[in-house]
Amino acid sequence: LPIYYFLSWGDHWSEQLVNYPNVRAVSVGYPFLDHFVRICPRRPRRNGDPLRVLFVSQGMIGAEMSRMALELARRIPPDRCRVVYKLHPNETNTWRTLYPDLANSPVEVVGNCDRNIYQCLQDTDVTVGTNSTALIEGFAWGAVALVLRFLPAGETMDGFCRAGLAEFVDSDEELYSKVRCMADGNARTDIPEFDMSRFWVPDAAQNVASFIDSLASGDCPPE
């Protein structure tokens, strides 16, 4: 069989590739994330600033998530909690039809034309979603993830919850309560130190270039 190479962000992702005997996973990193971690470092929340909560939209559950974002913004005053709803890229032109209640609401709606996900994570303390890779990428900015286990695919984040990088919530009411505790300073909004290189190998652009050079020269790239 011919050998195919799968370039992954890091060993965590390479290990997800199973039952492909003629595919070799090579961890090279993610140049785009590398770039934004460097140019958009986390802005720490100052004393007295509102808690910064970022909902990460996903199409299948977007209507439910948008409803929760709006309800959270209504329950907690903006001087204590700032709610941002980051649209999925394919929702940028349709969100007013998909989620009409977000228009002219206390929720800040952000599309890719405004800021990308990494520029949003720069000013985020807490992310909310199910299994979006953006929740995992948020760890690079120190953002704890609240995972909506009662929505489809939330259980896939179990390992991150056990590692203390994320927390499950099992209802919308539990979400509002958890965020209120965070906003009041009664629940943690930070994550433990973790091996970021396991998820995103550093020096990604150089790694990709080295892989291509090795392949072009006929050398077998490292696994």
Side-chain angles (χ1 to χ4, degrees):
L1 292 175
I3 297 297
Y4 298 94
Y5 290 97
F6 177 85
L7 304 186
S8 80
W9 296 340
D11 290 348
H12 169 80
W13 311 100
S14 295
E15 291 165 4
Q16 314 306 310
L17 195 71
V18 295
N19 298 325
Y20 293 91
N22 60 327
V23 176
R24 294 181 184 174
V26 181
S27 299
V28 295
Y30 188 10
F32 192 60
L33 182 139
D34 263 5
H35 173 70
F36 277 97
V37 165
R38 185 175 66 255
I39 69 169
C40 293
R42 174 182 174 84
R43 293 193 183 106
R45 183 164 60 111
R46 299 169 299 180
N47 288 338
D49 283 353
L51 183 74
R52 301 166 298 182
V53 180
L54 178 70
F55 281 75
V56 181
S57 186
Q58 290 176 264
M60 186 173 67
I61 57 174
E64 185 70 4
M65 288 187 64
S66 66
R67 181 191 65 77
M68 287 186 282
L70 182 57
E71 183 63 20
L72 181 65
R74 286 172 172 168
R75 292 192 184 200
I76 306 179
D79 63 329
R80 293 175 55 210
C81 181
R82 173 190 171 207
V83 181
V84 177
Y85 194 85
K86 177 64 177 73
L87 299 167
H88 189 278
N90 64 15
E91 296 174 333
T92 298
N93 297 322
T94 59
W95 72 270
R96 288 179 176 81
T97 300
L98 295 172
Y99 319 127
D101 291 341
L102 289 183
N104 302 313
S105 79
V107 176
E108 179 185 355
V109 179
V110 178
N112 264 21
C113 296
D114 307 308
R115 301 192 300 279
N116 66 34
I117 185 63
Y118 302 141
Q119 291 167 319
C120 291
L121 288 170
Q122 182 181 29
D123 292 300
T124 295
D125 302 304
V126 183
T127 59
V128 179
T130 54
N131 69 331
S132 171
T133 55
L135 302 186
I136 304 170
E137 291 163 338
F139 303 151
W141 276 267
V144 65
L146 294 182
V147 182
L148 307 172
R149 182 158 51 181
F150 56 97
L151 294 181
E155 288 283 359
T156 61
M157 293 288 287
D158 179 68
F160 298 105
C161 291
R162 286 188 279 106
L165 299 168
E167 297 180 34
F168 280 130
V169 291
D170 290 311
S171 69
D172 49 358
E173 289 296 331
E174 185 179 354
L175 172 67
Y176 308 145
S177 176
K178 176 69 72 174
V179 172
R180 185 181 296 278
C181 286
M182 289 175 163
D184 291 344
N186 297 323
R188 71 181 184 91
T189 58
D190 57 347
I191 60 173
E193 291 187 12
F194 72 106
D195 183 7
M196 182 170 163
S197 66
R198 176 166 169 71
F199 298 91
W200 307 285
V201 176
D203 303 317
Q206 181 59 49
N207 296 338
V208 173
S210 296
F211 172 86
I212 294 172
D213 288 344
S214 179
L215 203 62
S217 66
D219 296 333
C220 179
E223 295 187 28

